[in-house]
Amino acid sequence: MVDGQSIVGQAYRYDYRDPKLLQNTAERWVALTYSWGHPKSESLMQLPGDDFLSNNAGYIPMTTEVASHLLTPDARDEFIKGFSADIFSQAYSGNQASVFRPLQMLEPERTETGWMVEVLGERHVTTPSNQVGILVPVHFEIYLIATEPEDK
């Protein structure tokens, strides 16, 4: 280059992703999906509101809806249906708040199609009758693949 400067480039495979990026993506996905509500004296949630979306099976937090866009379209629909019916139904009625606390993100492991990141943490779950709440240990295996952006 000009003035004696040089540039060093490193070749990466097209689907390479930095391990820290993979860990951060997995951690944020779990935090967005499994944190909702806020403790108050009478109810744990302000309902209904702009923070929730309605679907065929019930309601989901807006943060969960945002996080669900990392899923493939077919898996996304099933996940949202199961999440609103099985996990979030008690919370939407104002009977539960949840905050995910990450404890450890293990190094990503390469799989045949992408990477697997183990997320270890705990959910702090509170109810109107138990404002102190309980800690629920969680262990997620998040599988990630590199994809091309969709054309819109």
Side-chain angles (χ1 to χ4, degrees), residues 68 71-81:
S68 73
L71 303 173
T72 59
D74 54 337
R76 182 176 183 267
D77 293 340
E78 285 300 311
F79 173 78
I80 288 175
K81 185 188 304 180

PDB file of all heavy atoms in Angstrom, residues 68 71-81:
ATOM      1  N   SER A  68     -38.106 -15.067  19.230  1.00  0.00           N
ATOM      2  CA  SER A  68     -38.554 -16.187  18.397  1.00  0.00           C
ATOM      3  C   SER A  68     -38.166 -16.019  16.930  1.00  0.00           C
ATOM      4  O   SER A  68     -38.165 -16.987  16.177  1.00  0.00           O
ATOM      5  CB  SER A  68     -40.069 -16.378  18.522  1.00  0.00           C
ATOM      6  OG  SER A  68     -40.767 -15.349  17.847  1.00  0.00           O
ATOM      7  N   LEU A  71     -35.594 -18.312  15.411  1.00  0.00           N
ATOM      8  CA  LEU A  71     -35.957 -19.690  15.092  1.00  0.00           C
ATOM      9  C   LEU A  71     -36.354 -19.801  13.625  1.00  0.00           C
ATOM     10  O   LEU A  71     -36.786 -18.822  13.015  1.00  0.00           O
ATOM     11  CB  LEU A  71     -37.131 -20.140  15.973  1.00  0.00           C
ATOM     12  CG  LEU A  71     -36.920 -20.044  17.478  1.00  0.00           C
ATOM     13  CD1 LEU A  71     -38.210 -20.357  18.208  1.00  0.00           C
ATOM     14  CD2 LEU A  71     -35.818 -20.986  17.917  1.00  0.00           C
ATOM     15  N   THR A  72     -36.250 -21.007  13.088  1.00  0.00           N
ATOM     16  CA  THR A  72     -36.743 -21.224  11.731  1.00  0.00           C
ATOM     17  C   THR A  72     -38.263 -21.080  11.751  1.00  0.00           C
ATOM     18  O   THR A  72     -38.903 -21.326  12.784  1.00  0.00           O
ATOM     19  CB  THR A  72     -36.354 -22.625  11.219  1.00  0.00           C
ATOM     20  OG1 THR A  72     -36.895 -23.600  12.102  1.00  0.00           O
ATOM     21  CG2 THR A  72     -34.847 -22.781  11.109  1.00  0.00           C
ATOM     22  N   PRO A  73     -38.874 -20.661  10.640  1.00  0.00           N
ATOM     23  CA  PRO A  73     -40.320 -20.398  10.643  1.00  0.00           C
ATOM     24  C   PRO A  73     -41.175 -21.566  11.142  1.00  0.00           C
ATOM     25  O   PRO A  73     -42.117 -21.356  11.915  1.00  0.00           O
ATOM     26  CB  PRO A  73     -40.627 -20.077   9.181  1.00  0.00           C
ATOM     27  CG  PRO A  73     -39.354 -19.498   8.663  1.00  0.00           C
ATOM     28  CD  PRO A  73     -38.261 -20.273   9.357  1.00  0.00           C
ATOM     29  N   ASP A  74     -40.867 -22.790  10.741  1.00  0.00           N
ATOM     30  CA  ASP A  74     -41.676 -23.919  11.199  1.00  0.00           C
ATOM     31  C   ASP A  74     -41.491 -24.170  12.694  1.00  0.00           C
ATOM     32  O   ASP A  74     -42.452 -24.428  13.420  1.00  0.00           O
ATOM     33  CB  ASP A  74     -41.379 -25.178  10.386  1.00  0.00           C
ATOM     34  CG  ASP A  74     -39.900 -25.538  10.369  1.00  0.00           C
ATOM     35  OD1 ASP A  74     -39.062 -24.635  10.582  1.00  0.00           O
ATOM     36  OD2 ASP A  74     -39.581 -26.723  10.150  1.00  0.00           O
ATOM     37  N   ALA A  75     -40.271 -24.072  13.182  1.00  0.00           N
ATOM     38  CA  ALA A  75     -40.022 -24.257  14.616  1.00  0.00           C
ATOM     39  C   ALA A  75     -40.600 -23.097  15.418  1.00  0.00           C
ATOM     40  O   ALA A  75     -41.065 -23.281  16.547  1.00  0.00           O
ATOM     41  CB  ALA A  75     -38.526 -24.390  14.884  1.00  0.00           C
ATOM     42  N   ARG A  76     -40.597 -21.907  14.858  1.00  0.00           N
ATOM     43  CA  ARG A  76     -41.098 -20.714  15.543  1.00  0.00           C
ATOM     44  C   ARG A  76     -42.571 -20.849  15.895  1.00  0.00           C
ATOM     45  O   ARG A  76     -42.989 -20.567  17.020  1.00  0.00           O
ATOM     46  CB  ARG A  76     -40.871 -19.492  14.657  1.00  0.00           C
ATOM     47  CG  ARG A  76     -41.297 -18.205  15.280  1.00  0.00           C
ATOM     48  CD  ARG A  76     -40.934 -17.030  14.356  1.00  0.00           C
ATOM     49  NE  ARG A  76     -41.288 -15.806  14.997  1.00  0.00           N
ATOM     50  CZ  ARG A  76     -42.462 -15.186  14.818  1.00  0.00           C
ATOM     51  NH1 ARG A  76     -43.344 -15.693  13.985  1.00  0.00           N
ATOM     52  NH2 ARG A  76     -42.728 -14.085  15.459  1.00  0.00           N
ATOM     53  N   ASP A  77     -43.390 -21.280  14.943  1.00  0.00           N
ATOM     54  CA  ASP A  77     -44.824 -21.425  15.186  1.00  0.00           C
ATOM     55  C   ASP A  77     -45.103 -22.421  16.301  1.00  0.00           C
ATOM     56  O   ASP A  77     -45.908 -22.166  17.194  1.00  0.00           O
ATOM     57  CB  ASP A  77     -45.554 -21.845  13.909  1.00  0.00           C
ATOM     58  CG  ASP A  77     -45.525 -20.763  12.839  1.00  0.00           C
ATOM     59  OD1 ASP A  77     -45.294 -19.581  13.200  1.00  0.00           O
ATOM     60  OD2 ASP A  77     -45.717 -21.096  11.657  1.00  0.00           O
ATOM     61  N   GLU A  78     -44.432 -23.574  16.256  1.00  0.00           N
ATOM     62  CA  GLU A  78     -44.612 -24.579  17.304  1.00  0.00           C
ATOM     63  C   GLU A  78     -44.129 -24.066  18.656  1.00  0.00           C
ATOM     64  O   GLU A  78     -44.755 -24.303  19.686  1.00  0.00           O
ATOM     65  CB  GLU A  78     -43.888 -25.875  16.931  1.00  0.00           C
ATOM     66  CG  GLU A  78     -44.579 -26.675  15.863  1.00  0.00           C
ATOM     67  CD  GLU A  78     -45.984 -27.100  16.278  1.00  0.00           C
ATOM     68  OE1 GLU A  78     -46.159 -27.627  17.392  1.00  0.00           O
ATOM     69  OE2 GLU A  78     -46.907 -26.894  15.473  1.00  0.00           O
ATOM     70  N   PHE A  79     -42.990 -23.383  18.654  1.00  0.00           N
ATOM     71  CA  PHE A  79     -42.451 -22.853  19.907  1.00  0.00           C
ATOM     72  C   PHE A  79     -43.411 -21.851  20.533  1.00  0.00           C
ATOM     73  O   PHE A  79     -43.703 -21.917  21.733  1.00  0.00           O
ATOM     74  CB  PHE A  79     -41.094 -22.187  19.661  1.00  0.00           C
ATOM     75  CG  PHE A  79     -40.563 -21.472  20.867  1.00  0.00           C
ATOM     76  CD1 PHE A  79     -39.979 -22.182  21.899  1.00  0.00           C
ATOM     77  CD2 PHE A  79     -40.686 -20.095  20.983  1.00  0.00           C
ATOM     78  CE1 PHE A  79     -39.510 -21.528  23.037  1.00  0.00           C
ATOM     79  CE2 PHE A  79     -40.212 -19.436  22.112  1.00  0.00           C
ATOM     80  CZ  PHE A  79     -39.626 -20.158  23.133  1.00  0.00           C
ATOM     81  N   ILE A  80     -43.909 -20.898  19.747  1.00  0.00           N
ATOM     82  CA  ILE A  80     -44.817 -19.875  20.284  1.00  0.00           C
ATOM     83  C   ILE A  80     -46.095 -20.511  20.817  1.00  0.00           C
ATOM     84  O   ILE A  80     -46.577 -20.141  21.891  1.00  0.00           O
ATOM     85  CB  ILE A  80     -45.118 -18.806  19.213  1.00  0.00           C
ATOM     86  CG1 ILE A  80     -43.883 -17.942  19.008  1.00  0.00           C
ATOM     87  CG2 ILE A  80     -46.310 -17.953  19.603  1.00  0.00           C
ATOM     88  CD1 ILE A  80     -44.007 -16.925  17.899  1.00  0.00           C
ATOM     89  N   LYS A  81     -46.630 -21.490  20.104  1.00  0.00           N
ATOM     90  CA  LYS A  81     -47.849 -22.163  20.556  1.00  0.00           C
ATOM     91  C   LYS A  81     -47.612 -22.865  21.891  1.00  0.00           C
ATOM     92  O   LYS A  81     -48.377 -22.714  22.847  1.00  0.00           O
ATOM     93  CB  LYS A  81     -48.309 -23.168  19.508  1.00  0.00           C
ATOM     94  CG  LYS A  81     -49.637 -23.818  19.852  1.00  0.00           C
ATOM     95  CD  LYS A  81     -50.001 -24.954  18.903  1.00  0.00           C
ATOM     96  CE  LYS A  81     -50.018 -24.508  17.468  1.00  0.00           C
ATOM     97  NZ  LYS A  81     -50.372 -25.603  16.548  1.00  0.00           N
TER      98      LYS A  81
END
